[in-house]
Amino acid sequence: METRQFKKSIPEWIIGLSLILLVISFGIGWTRSIDTFQIQHEVSINFINAIQLLFLSNNFLRPLLLLIALIGFFIHRPIGWMAICTLFYFLIFDWFYIGVTSNDYNATRYSLFAAPLLLIIVANFSSFRAAYHLGKFKVVILNLMNMGIALTLIGLKTILHIYVQKDMNQIIELFK
């Protein structure tokens, strides 16, 4: 009976460990971005300025979605499942959008595209769905809703990115 219960929770372990790895990778990526910004623009950034830069540089959606997904992981209801899957759909569409606009077609780009896709497949396993009280028909509708939410967030991110790029010199002046 004990091994059977463990097998049912394997998809949850996979999703949970993936969320932890995303937290670590976002943290490392963010500190590298701050270091690069400091070197390129010859400014000094403290913690408060780093938070301001996070919002002003339009990089706040990924950490925000990750935080919501982490909270959703512990809420074993359909809303928790939606929070997790919305993050993965956002990552897929974001990486796809960046790849298309930058004409960067290397193996790393495709592996980054494949990882969240595999996690969505794992999130749709019956044992993971059962933990979040989801039926088969409901999952199809929620997957479509998650795709719509993710695409809307990508559109919002694009609009904000265009707006912020116009004012980048003003942002740099804030930190000098």
Side-chain angles (χ1 to χ4, degrees):
M1 184 86 168
E2 185 73 29
T3 58
R4 189 171 189 209
Q5 183 64 25
F6 179 73
K7 285 183 182 178
K8 282 187 174 184
S9 66
I10 288 175
E12 287 184 81
W13 277 96
I14 292 170
I15 299 292
L17 290 173
S18 300
L19 289 173
I20 290 170
L21 288 174
L22 280 172
V23 167
I24 293 168
S25 69
F26 283 174
I28 291 170
W30 183 240
T31 55
R32 286 183 181 167
S33 295
I34 290 173
D35 291 342
T36 303
F37 186 83
Q38 289 183 101
I39 292 168
Q40 286 179 346
H41 301 290
E42 299 173 357
V43 294
S44 178
I45 295 179
N46 59 21
F47 181 74
I48 304 277
N49 289 346
I51 299 297
Q52 288 176 332
L53 183 63
L54 175 71
F55 283 97
L56 293 174
S57 65
N58 193 24
N59 290 324
F60 64 92
L61 277 176
R62 282 186 190 175
L64 182 64
L65 284 174
L66 181 59
L67 178 65
I68 292 169
L70 283 170
I71 293 169
F73 181 76
F74 296 105
I75 301 172
H76 287 272
R77 298 283 172 235
I79 192 74
W81 184 87
M82 281 186 69
I84 294 167
C85 289
T86 299
L87 171 69
F88 296 145
Y89 279 116
F90 178 82
L91 293 175
I92 287 173
F93 294 140
D94 191 34
W95 286 328
F96 179 74
Y97 175 73
I98 291 170
V100 167
T101 57
S102 68
N103 295 324
D104 184 17
Y105 301 107
N106 59 24
T108 306
R109 174 73 52 207
Y110 290 117
S111 64
L112 290 176
F113 180 77
L117 185 63
L118 291 173
L119 291 171
I120 287 174
I121 292 169
V122 169
N124 282 294
F125 284 173
S126 60
S127 59
F128 193 75
R129 286 191 330 246
Y132 287 85
H133 309 290
L134 295 169
K136 219 174 199 179
F137 178 72
K138 199 173 190 180
V139 168
V140 173
I141 294 171
L142 291 177
N143 272 319
L144 291 172
M145 287 174 59
N146 287 334
M147 283 184 206
I149 292 168
L151 286 172
T152 302
L153 290 172
I154 293 295
L156 176 67
K157 181 181 174 189
T158 304
I159 291 168
L160 289 174
H161 181 71
I162 292 168
Y163 176 74
V164 168
Q165 286 298 17
K166 291 179 184 176
D167 298 329
M168 196 56 166
N169 290 331
Q170 292 173 353
I171 293 171
I172 293 168
E173 290 299 319
L174 287 175
F175 298 109
K176 287 192 175 185

